[in-house]
């Protein structure tokens, strides 16, 4: 990526970056075993209801931060460039945990990381059309997460421990590259100011 992604207009690169960042941060496939553990002892209908409720609440919270992320930063006097550096470092730490298999702690804090990533991305999606696109990306990823929750037993059986480990590490490497890009863009903007 030669130019910063936040140059103004919504581009395919920006949409792909946001989708990959949120997909890797939320990690729907990696949440399947945690969902099974949390809903242990529930029948299929109760599991579906719990998954649906979790997705609806998650969507509401994420939309709130997608819309109000930048104003919240402004309220505290934090520039988007500074938040890019801090958020990029945080995402890099998450990627490190993914690569070195600190899965349980990582999945227990998925909501906090997803919100941080969303606040980072909200600066790139500043206009109404861009915000609608970001909300659409969130909706699509959460819909995928819901499907994986519903199929959690099958997904977990299909991947097995080795498949989950390989997928988690691969996603960690991708997230680390995105994190470095966030930091680089933030440092470039801070240096130009």
């Amino acid at each position: 990526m030669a130019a910063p992604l936040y140059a103004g207009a919504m581009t395919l690169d920006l949409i792909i970056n946001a989708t990959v960042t949120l997909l890797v941060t939320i990690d729907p496939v990696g949440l399947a075993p945690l969902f099974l553990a949390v809903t242990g002892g529930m029948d299929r209908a109760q599991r579906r209801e719990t998954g649906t409720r979790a997705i609806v609440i998650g969507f509401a919270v994420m939309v709130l931060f997608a819309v109000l992320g930048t104003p919240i930063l402004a309220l505290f006097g934090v520039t988007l460039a500074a938040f890019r550096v801090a958020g990029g470092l945080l995402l890099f730490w998450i990627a490190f945990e993914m690569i070195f298999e600190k899965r349980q702690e990582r999945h227990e804090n998925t909501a906090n990381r997803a919100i941080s990533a969303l606040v980072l991305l909200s600066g790139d999606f500043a206009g109404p059309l861009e915000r609608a696109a970001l909300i659409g990306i969130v909706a699509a990823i959460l819909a995928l997460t819901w499907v994986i929750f519903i199929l959690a037993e099958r997904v977990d059986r299909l991947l097995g421990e080795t498949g989950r480990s390989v997928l988690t590490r691969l996603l960690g490497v991708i997230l680390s590259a995105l994190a470095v890009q966030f930091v680089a863009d933030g440092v470039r903007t801070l240096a130009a100011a």
Side-chain angles (χ1 to χ4, degrees), residues 79-97:
T79 66
L80 187 56
F83 194 79
R84 279 185 189 286
V85 172
L89 293 173
L90 174 65
L91 289 177
F92 190 80
W93 178 255
I94 294 163
F96 179 84
E97 289 181 336

Side-chain angles (χ1 to χ4, degrees), residues 2-14:
L5 293 175
Y6 51 89
M10 185 171 54
T11 65
L12 182 59
D13 282 349
L14 183 61

